[in-house]
Amino acid sequence: MGTVSDSGNKVAETARSYDIATIPGDGIGVDVTVEACKVLDAAASKHGFSLRWTEFDYSCERYAKTGAMMPEDGVETLSGFDAVLLGAVGFPGVPDHVSLWGLLIPLRRAFSQYANLRPVRLLPGTTSVLADRKADELEMVIVRENSEGEYSTLGGRHNQGQPGEFVLQESVFTRVGVERIIRYAFELARTRSLRVCSATKSNGIVHTMPFWDEIFELVSADYPDVEAEQCHIDALAARMVQRPDRLDVVVASNLFGDILSDLAAAVTGGLGLAPSGNINPEGTHPSMFEAVHGSAPDIAGQGIANPVAQILAGAMMLGQLGETEAARSVDVAVEQVLAEGRVITPDLGGKATTEQLGSAIAAAV
């Protein structure tokens, strides 16, 4: 995207275009990514820009063949793109820690995608497992610290196979890392309902969580217009089920945010509807977008996977690229098709295929 000079040395703006890397991944990740690209191309065409797609085979299938989820220069290769659209990763025979630490976590950290944003809401035409809850009571966003915390390689396993065998797993919380994610949550709250809830467990975890709490209090002082509270993770999980209307922006450490976002998705309609973004807020590296759900290899290739989460992840990508009108058009199209209820996949009670639902949403854009 940029400008070019014509023969008269005048600068004319070129048509907007973005270079997007797609990593379909494994299982249904392949199925739903195809549909997301279709919908996003429709939005781009409608709103006057283009998306140039480049597909990469980074996956468990690649690992089985080569012993690596991605090549040694994978991070360098992806660094030249405007954004990354990632399908689900995981397949039987490849341990989850291998697939996670071989692809997703290295990309998050290399590109300083320290803000994992997981918006969840009850979409039209869908139902919650919580009885009698309205759509406006089931909308929140989990802001998860994405680069440190409990997801650390520090530690080890000792005396393996012996009666005295033990393991150590270290968490890493830096002042920079904690402060920037909490501040990101407060800034986001200023665009929403002016409420932030921090997930903690300082009554049981003696070092990291009191440190987190102290920084939360310091940052909250800079946002007197935002209502701030701290809640222990167990009580917060209960509130998410019993009183979800009391929550809007929830900020949490890497592990707590991971757990809470799946719970939030479950109470607002299911993982098949929940998108997420691995955000580099400064824009110095590409951000990466994905569905919250896994690769579901048991239904891969059957044409029954719900592509909505991946499509909404693509809408988040458009918003991050600055194409807010196009992003909104995708959101509206999803809402329209689901509300009509004529073309929905089996998980939502319908008979439509993955391709049929994707095509219906693309047409509605």
Side-chain angles (χ1 to χ4, degrees), residues 22 75 99 143-144 158 160 183 185 187 196 199 233-234 238 243 290 292 296 306 315 355:
T22 60
V75 170
S99 59
V143 178
R144 169 191 175 194
H158 305 273
Q160 191 167 347
R183 195 169 295 279
E187 290 290 338
V196 175
I233 182 69
D234 40 359
R243 291 295 308 274
E290 57 181 324
V292 171
N306 187 340
E355 188 278 333

Side-chain angles (χ1 to χ4, degrees), residues 121-122 128 130-139 244-245:
R121 59 194 173 106
L122 184 63
S128 169
L130 303 181
D132 303 321
R133 287 291 180 180
K134 301 175 182 178
D136 60 357
E137 296 176 297
L138 290 173
E139 181 175 1
D245 53 294

Side-chain angles (χ1 to χ4, degrees), residues 36 39 60 79-80 128 171 246 264 285 299 322 331:
V39 172
C60 288
S79 66
S128 169
S171 297
R246 292 177 56 192
H285 302 283
I299 63 169
D331 287 338

Side-chain angles (χ1 to χ4, degrees), residues 297-313:
D298 56 319
I299 63 169
Q302 297 180 28
I304 60 174
N306 187 340
V308 166
Q310 192 75 347
I311 291 169
L312 292 177

Side-chain angles (χ1 to χ4, degrees), residues 4 23 44 152-153 231 241 279 306:
V4 294
I23 306 174
S152 161
T153 57
C231 188
V241 174
I279 310 298
N306 187 340

